[in-house]
């Protein structure tokens, strides 16, 4: 076993240990709920993350490791795929320019793992986890197509594109980039006259058909939710949104890798070989869409992570010698973040400590909620993440989702004929306009979630009398318990 592979195995073991030890975040608990009601799609995202959690919980049960088991493994395999893709791209470039110096292709994998996006994403389970894996597979298939000229690689391109779309809708952007690359080259345009590209397209469409079917039978709910703000235009807010987008990438790539990626993009624009055009299309088409979106609305920092494998390959075909410094900084920042998440050793408040806000104090908080609701018929929340976290943490209690999104899930309808229930919601947020809970719920107190004496979040508690009027009662769905108690 070579030294880089041994290091990757060791890193994967560390990530598996972290996956087992770190607290489950609200979004992870939400996706865990999905895995208990498998569907062709969901309001927020396609279903791949639910299937991955379903498989891993069959092995490790309804635990933190059970939710995250596939994340470190997928990151390791995806790293190998990215390295192999970079090696193929270098081989093609060296055919025409044999004296050009390039980095060892292993550098692409090392750089990818030095980003906070993969460092954090490999220990948590989100839709970006399978997306990054299938993007690495997509990149590997594209590299083999370029190196070998074997058109059968279009089939794997279709498979990886379809499964990537089943992970997150943004997979359509690198697919569009691949199409643009084909149109820019006479050789690739000739390939479009053969059946292989269309076979790959057909396979990809078939793999995405269940997601389209679910949307068609649910009022296009997910497509409308994800694409409804595409054409927004707010020039007064655009500078702030663009600044947030760049700052987010500066952080998730880490500063050194961010600068290397910028230099690699400039160098690729200057060379404009077939490989450069391919990698530029795979990165710049999604990048242009995210920039356009930032003109009218906020772009979440994690959205552009699907282009990171291609960016690392762009860096890998350079002769940049300063990459090791960027790697050291990236791993140091990842280690600092992990230590903060595990111990909270830095005295940061909730505004600067994401780990505190997302994962701090859930066990004690859930125990306090259980004590405050001993006589209650149910516990509910009209916030999906909070309801999911309570369902995961309180396996022996009836926990209800109490907002319209839950009607899109195949979960048991629940009604309360007598007694009362406890509604829990974020104390920093008001009831949405027109919420029936605002008039039904009676305040009964406040509870704080904290870690080490530092407040993570504050929650208001409300008593809900039964029976409940039809409108909010129609939203109530019983969330699955973790089954550990």
């Amino acid at each position: 076993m070579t030294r880089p592979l041994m290091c990757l195995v060791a890193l994967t073991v560390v990530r598996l240990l972290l996956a087992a030890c770190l607290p489950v975040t609200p979004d992870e608990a939400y996706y865990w709920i999905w895995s208990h009601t498998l569907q062709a799609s969901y309001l927020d995202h396609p279903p791949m993350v639910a299937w991955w959690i379903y498989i891993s919980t069959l092995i490790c049960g309804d635990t933190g490791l059970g939710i995250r088991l596939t994340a470190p493994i997928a990151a390791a395999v995806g790293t190998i795929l990215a390295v192999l893709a970079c090696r193929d791209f270098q081989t093609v470039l060296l055919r025409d320019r044999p004296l050009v110096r390039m980095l060892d292709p292993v550098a692409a994998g090392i750089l990818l793992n030095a980003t906070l996006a993969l460092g954090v994403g490999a220990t948590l389970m989100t839709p970006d986890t399978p997306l990054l894996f299938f993007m690495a597979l997509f990149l590997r298939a594209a590299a083999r197509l370029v190196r070998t000229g074997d058109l059968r690689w279009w089939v794997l391109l279709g498979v990886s594109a379809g499964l990537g779309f089943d992970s997150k809708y943004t997979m359509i952007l690198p697919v569009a980039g691949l199409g643009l690359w084909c149109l820019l080259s006479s050789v690739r345009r000739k390939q479009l006259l053969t059946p292989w590209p269309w076979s790959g397209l057909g396979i990809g469409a078939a793999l995405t058909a269940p997601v389209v079917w679910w949307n068609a039978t649910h009022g296009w709910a997910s497509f409308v939710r994800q694409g409804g703000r595409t054409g927004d235009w707010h020039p007064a807010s655009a500078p702030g949104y663009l600044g947030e987008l760049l700052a987010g990438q500066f952080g998730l790539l880490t500063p050194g890798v961010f600068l290397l990626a910028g230099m690699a993009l400039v160098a690729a624009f200057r060379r404009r070989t077939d490989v450069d055009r391919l990698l530029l299309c795979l990165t710049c088409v999604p990048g242009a869409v995210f920039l356009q979106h930032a003109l009218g609305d906020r772009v979440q920092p994690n959205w552009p992570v699907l282009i990171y494998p291609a960016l690392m390959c762009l860096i890998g075909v350079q002769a940049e010698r300063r990459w090791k410094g960027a790697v050291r900084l990236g791993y140091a920042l990842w280690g600092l973040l992990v230590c903060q998440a595990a111990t909270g050793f830095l005295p940061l408040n909730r505004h600067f400590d994401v780990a505190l806000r997302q994962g701090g104090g859930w066990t004690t908080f859930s125990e306090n909620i259980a004590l405050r609701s001993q006589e209650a018929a149910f516990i509910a929340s009209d916030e999906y993440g909070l309801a999911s976290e309570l369902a995961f943490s309180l396996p022996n209690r009836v926990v209800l989702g109490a907002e319209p999104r839950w009607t899109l899930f195949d979960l048991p309808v629940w009604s309360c004929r007598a007694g009362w229930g406890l509604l829990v919601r974020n104390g920093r947020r008001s009831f949405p306009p027109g919420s029936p809970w605002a008039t039904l719920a009676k305040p009964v107190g406040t509870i704080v979630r904290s870690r080490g004496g530092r407040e993570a979040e504050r929650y208001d508690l409300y008593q809900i009398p039964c029976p409940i009027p039809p409108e909010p009662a129609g939203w109530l769905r019983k969330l699955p318990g973790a089954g550990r108690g």
Side-chain angles (χ1 to χ4, degrees), residues 26-370:
D27 279 347
E28 288 180 299
Y30 182 48
Y31 303 136
W32 169 81
I33 296 288
W34 293 12
S35 73
H36 281 260
T37 173
L38 293 173
Q39 301 176 176
S41 192
Y42 300 89
L43 174 64
D44 306 85
H45 294 291
M48 189 61 69
V49 65
W51 282 101
W52 280 34
I53 293 174
Y54 174 78
I55 293 169
S56 60
T57 51
L58 287 178
I59 300 170
C60 295
D62 290 314
T63 62
L65 180 60
I67 290 174
R68 300 163 173 157
L69 176 65
T70 52
I73 298 171
V77 178
T79 296
I80 294 172
L81 291 172
V83 169
L84 294 175
C86 184
R87 185 184 65 182
D88 284 340
F89 288 137
Q90 289 183 346
T91 300
V92 174
L93 287 172
L94 288 171
R95 288 174 184 169
D96 301 325
R97 302 163 63 190
L99 298 181
V100 173
R101 295 167 52 193
M102 296 182 187
L103 298 179
D104 187 320
V106 172
I110 296 174
L111 285 162
L112 184 60
N113 282 273
T115 65
L116 287 185
L118 194 69
V120 174
T123 52
L124 301 178
M125 178 54 71
T126 72
D128 290 314
T129 305
L131 174 68
L132 272 172
F133 173 79
F134 291 119
M135 186 61 208
L137 183 62
F138 183 82
L139 192 65
R140 168 63 170 159
R144 295 304 294 166
L145 175 67
V146 172
R147 179 176 178 176
T148 66
D150 188 343
L151 300 187
R152 289 175 294 182
W153 286 104
W154 279 103
V155 173
L156 185 57
L157 281 167
V159 171
S160 54
L163 295 176
F165 184 88
D166 291 340
S167 305
K168 208 169 180 181
Y169 298 132
T170 48
M171 186 67 197
I172 199 170
L173 300 177
V175 173
L178 184 71
L180 177 61
W181 171 66
C182 290
L183 296 177
L184 293 176
S185 168
S186 59
V187 174
R188 308 304 164 191
R189 289 196 297 270
K190 290 179 181 178
Q191 291 182 4
L192 297 179
L193 301 177
T194 70
W196 290 106
W198 306 106
S199 297
L201 182 63
I203 292 171
L207 289 171
T208 63
V211 176
V212 178
W213 170 83
W214 184 91
N215 273 274
T217 55
H218 290 78
W220 305 103
S222 186
F223 287 168
V224 171
R225 179 179 177 83
Q226 296 298 330
R229 297 170 294 178
T230 303
D232 286 353
W233 170 246
H234 300 294
S237 302
Y241 292 147
L242 289 169
E244 288 181 15
L245 173 60
L246 291 176
Q249 300 319 296
F250 189 78
L252 285 183
L253 277 167
T254 69
V257 180
F258 180 89
L259 295 175
L260 288 176
M263 292 187 290
L265 285 168
V266 171
F269 271 112
R270 290 175 176 172
R271 287 193 309 265
R272 289 179 291 183
T273 65
D274 191 40
V275 168
D276 291 319
R277 281 195 295 269
L278 171 58
L279 293 174
L280 286 172
C281 287
L282 294 181
T283 54
C284 292
V285 169
V289 172
F290 295 133
L291 285 172
Q292 182 275 329
H293 189 87
L295 297 177
D297 203 352
R298 180 170 285 106
V299 175
Q300 297 300 322
N302 63 298
W303 291 1
V305 299
L306 84 164
I307 69 174
Y308 286 8
L311 276 178
M312 298 310 111
C313 286
L314 268 177
I315 298 173
V317 298
Q318 311 298 316
E320 179 57 57
R321 297 181 179 180
R322 290 166 287 186
W323 68 277
K324 292 183 179 179
V327 166
R328 295 188 187 98
L329 177 59
Y331 282 107
L333 290 174
W334 175 71
L336 181 65
L337 184 61
V338 167
C339 290
Q340 181 65 16
T343 66
F345 73 101
L346 293 176
L348 303 176
N349 64 33
R350 61 178 303 278
H351 298 289
F352 299 100
D353 192 342
V354 177
L356 174 64
R357 292 200 309 272
Q358 291 293 313
W362 280 115
T363 300
T364 303
F365 169 77
S366 299
E367 292 172 352
N368 290 335
I369 290 291

